[in-house]
């Protein structure tokens, strides 16, 4: 094991044993280095990795707010990892879209009709009803709407995976809209479909909600030129 | 953006533009530092993060084999991220099990009856038939059997996620077996169930395969004391 991995391993053990918890602080860099008998460089490398994994937020400045704080942002971690691997072209965009369909259909089928996240979803649809909304603002609300639906299923792992899938193809999704023949027509259709999906969840008709959400996602990518059976990277 | 993030960003751009590909090498640390006008420490930090994300393998030694090579191991990256967040107790084990059921049921329902991965799955079952197999050897083959089934669906993202879920609870799964009242009885049951699942996939009966695999996974965790509706961390 290399020295920065020793540090990672030590921190992971403290987390699993509950001696370090979310909101808590890591010991100072120098203290950790002395305690584990490694260089401060190794400690800093380990902390950078934990930051990239969404497990800590590095400290800045001094005083009571200084120090490296334990956080929990699995979505960011999974999102960066997926995005990097989409970049190496070893994770095809079509597989990401298919996985999204799988997770979202499951989530809307499982969501409880009175889950509080559905209120948020409804508010987001109100925001998307505005006709003067720009494309990127519309898409930002659209992402939040779909994440709210996924959250309504109450599974933290599925929520984190959904968020990471969206993040990993965010740049790609923005390019796709440029392929659409008529943005206004698409936006009108998406608005109608969103309301239908939300209504099905609220009517406790999980099977219908699942079917609608799958058709909604597949229809969008198909219209933008990425067929669901397509396995190429689909670069611009 | 901090300096090590500049380096990460630069490498990610080169990957998406196809100027860096899997099997290729990063420029030497010093070259990168000079080109991007950052310190060698920042370059090294970025490379450590990419290593942790399964995007590069750090170089050792000198000669033609030296240098940092681009690889693609999304499973490792997602697995470490999930494992760390299970450790912070923000991803409940019950949610991981539920996600596993979701992904595996989908995979066996989608797998083609003549997928080459099913040959490998059958060979693994032969290995698990040996009566003198120790618990940990049995479990190692068991993990590979389930991953082979997932791979047969042909979706790289689902395969990576499945692998990462297994990796994230590997330590936990090993502890669970200690809770089982009678390992030999459980092992016999698992053997029978594995054969039934594989037979259903080969008979192109996706619905039956999905049902069997869900019951198989849920039954195991239930027997080991983690109910499917359970949301606590379930620590030993």
């Amino acid at each position: 094991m290399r020295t920065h991995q020793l540090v990672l391993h030590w921190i992971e053990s403290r987390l699993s044993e509950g001696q370090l918890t979310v909101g808590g602080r890591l010991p100072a860099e120098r203290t950790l280095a002395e305690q584990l008998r490694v260089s401060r460089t190794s400690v800093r490398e380990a902390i950078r990795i934990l930051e990239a994994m969404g497990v800590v937020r590095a400290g800045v400045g001094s005083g009571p707010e200084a120090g490296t704080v334990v956080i929990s942002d699995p979505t960011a971690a999974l999102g960066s990892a997926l995005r990097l691997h989409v970049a190496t072209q070893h994770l095809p965009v079509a597989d990401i879209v298919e996985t999204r369909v799988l997770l979202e259909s499951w989530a809307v089928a499982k969501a409880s009709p009175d889950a509080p996240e559905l209120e948020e979803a409804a508010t987001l649809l109100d925001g998307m009803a505005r006709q003067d909304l720009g494309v990127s603002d519309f898409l930002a609300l659209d992402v939040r709407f779909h994440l709210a639906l996924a959250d309504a299923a109450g599974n933290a792992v599925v929520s984190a995976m959904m968020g990471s899938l969206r993040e990993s193809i965010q740049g790609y999704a923005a390019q796709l809209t440029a392929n659409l023949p008529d943005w206004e027509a698409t936006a009108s259709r998406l608005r109608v479909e969103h309301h239908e999906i939300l209504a099905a969840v609220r009517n406790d008709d999980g099977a219908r909600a699942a079917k609608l959400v799958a058709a909604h996602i597949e229809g969008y990518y198909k219209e933008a030129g990425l067929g669901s059976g397509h396995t190429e990277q689909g670069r611009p």
Side-chain angles (χ1 to χ4, degrees), chain A residues 88-138:
Chain A
T88 65
Q89 300 174 53
H90 272 242
L91 291 181
V93 171
D95 286 6
I96 291 201
V97 172
E98 189 178 51
T99 309
R100 211 192 123 186
V101 170
L102 161 65
L103 298 181
E104 282 200 59
S105 322
W106 176 85
V108 294
K110 207 207 159 198
S112 155
D114 49 10
E117 291 85 358
L118 300 180
E119 295 298 324
E120 193 202 331
T123 308
L124 290 163
L125 291 191
D126 290 344
M128 293 165 85
R130 283 176 40 204
Q131 297 296 325
D132 60 340
L133 210 60
V135 178
S136 64
D137 290 337
F138 184 98

Side-chain angles (χ1 to χ4, degrees), chain A residues 22 51-56 71-79 160 167:
Chain A
V22 172
E51 263 190 292
M53 294 281 188
V55 176
V56 303
I71 59 170
S72 183
D73 189 358
T75 302
L78 297 177
E167 192 179 300

